[in-house]
Amino acid sequence: MIPPRSTQDTDANGDLRTSVDTRAVGLEIGLDFIRLATGREHLHYGLWQPDQQIALANLFAAQEAYTDKLLEMLPDQSDLAILDIGGGAGETARRLLKLGHSVDVIVPSDTLMERCRVNLSDRARLYHSTFEDFRAERTYDVCLFSESFQYVRLEVGLRKAKSLLKPGGIILIADCFRNDAYTTPRPVGGGIPLERFYDEMERNALTATTTHDITASVAPSVDLERQVYHFLHNTLLRTSSSLKSTHPKSHKLIHILLNRILGSRRKKKLNDRLLGHNRTSTDFIKHNTYLFLAITLS
């Protein structure tokens, strides 16, 4: 794992100050946690069965079920040329390679690129780039967006994916979209407004050949996330209380450092995650639509 990036700035006195890239730190911590909990590095929702207990012990099975359903939507042939756009830590690409497909992976994150190099070695071609800046060296049978489509500019995503495909190729999208009930302040979930997405499909003369709405099946992942954050909050609260009584100076110093690193906006966001009671599966289902879409070029 590479170290987190940092940026340099000056404080009110003009002295040089270094601030940590908290997104990179959070991603590294998240990867370490998922690896510890499941033995793998899936970064997507799980696909939960109706009678499956929502527990950390079942997360790996739910995430594998998600990948299984996604791969079922691929054409029934071997040796597909697949572009995995925003390929995470390389877990989906690893499955695709085992099926005999040729895989190129686009990863914009420094942290995830390092994990892809470890997990995939030289079996896939890796591109450290955004999709917008990606320059293809070949055409593909499948352009795959697995929880990455919402991070690509909408006016670029479908148009560019279409241009990279062979005749009869497929754009395969698995992602969360905002439905008409999505409001502000921001509820759990997110993504591109579904109406805007369908408008963009129409502008590009594209039609979904297969659509699966799996919102209710992925929503329990939100309840599991909330359980984990509440556990972390209770652990931090007890640790802080103990440290304050036994080592008050160290306790004060830690709080000063955290305030310096996080700032008020990030502190509020973290506090909402740790204490939030509106991040539930019910709230997720109300405001979001999670789709598996296959768009086949004519």
Side-chain angles (χ1 to χ4, degrees), residues 5-18:
R5 291 171 294 171
S6 63
T7 58
Q8 291 187 328
D9 197 358
T10 55
D11 60 20
N13 298 319
D15 296 324
L16 195 63
R17 178 178 64 187
T18 300

Side-chain angles (χ1 to χ4, degrees), residues 29-71:
I29 292 172
L31 277 170
D32 288 343
F33 176 79
I34 289 293
R35 191 187 310 114
L36 178 65
T38 68
R40 302 296 283 271
E41 292 180 325
H42 290 299
L43 293 174
H44 55 69
Y45 284 79
L47 192 69
W48 300 84
Q49 303 304 315
D51 59 346
Q52 193 171 18
Q53 182 184 8
I54 311 306
L56 202 56
N58 294 325
L59 176 59
F60 175 71
Q63 289 181 319
E64 285 287 284
Y66 174 106
T67 304
D68 289 343
K69 186 172 183 66
L70 182 63
L71 297 187

Side-chain angles (χ1 to χ4, degrees), residues 120-140:
L120 302 175
S121 187
D122 58 352
R123 293 175 293 157
R125 284 192 286 191
L126 306 179
Y127 295 88
H128 192 181
S129 171
T130 63
F131 184 54
E132 290 88 342
D133 294 335
F134 170 67
R135 295 185 178 182
E137 300 175 51
R138 58 172 174 163
T139 54
Y140 300 92

Side-chain angles (χ1 to χ4, degrees), residues 158-194:
L158 291 175
R159 174 176 52 81
K160 185 165 184 174
K162 181 179 177 181
S163 73
L164 296 176
L165 288 173
K166 302 174 184 178
I170 291 178
I171 302 171
L172 186 54
I173 299 172
D175 216 331
C176 183
F177 297 86
R178 303 176 185 179
N179 61 32
D180 292 340
Y182 199 96
T183 59
T184 54
R186 186 178 184 273
V188 62
I192 296 167
L194 193 55

Side-chain angles (χ1 to χ4, degrees), residues 67-82:
T67 304
D68 289 343
K69 186 172 183 66
L70 182 63
L71 297 187
E72 287 173 4
M73 299 180 70
L74 292 173
D76 187 18
Q77 64 187 81
S78 59
D79 196 23
L80 294 167
I82 300 176

Side-chain angles (χ1 to χ4, degrees), residues 264-275:
S264 58
R265 185 178 62 84
R266 285 177 176 152
K267 275 182 62 181
K268 183 182 183 305
K269 186 176 180 180
L270 178 60
N271 195 59
D272 288 344
R273 282 293 183 100
L274 293 173
L275 294 174

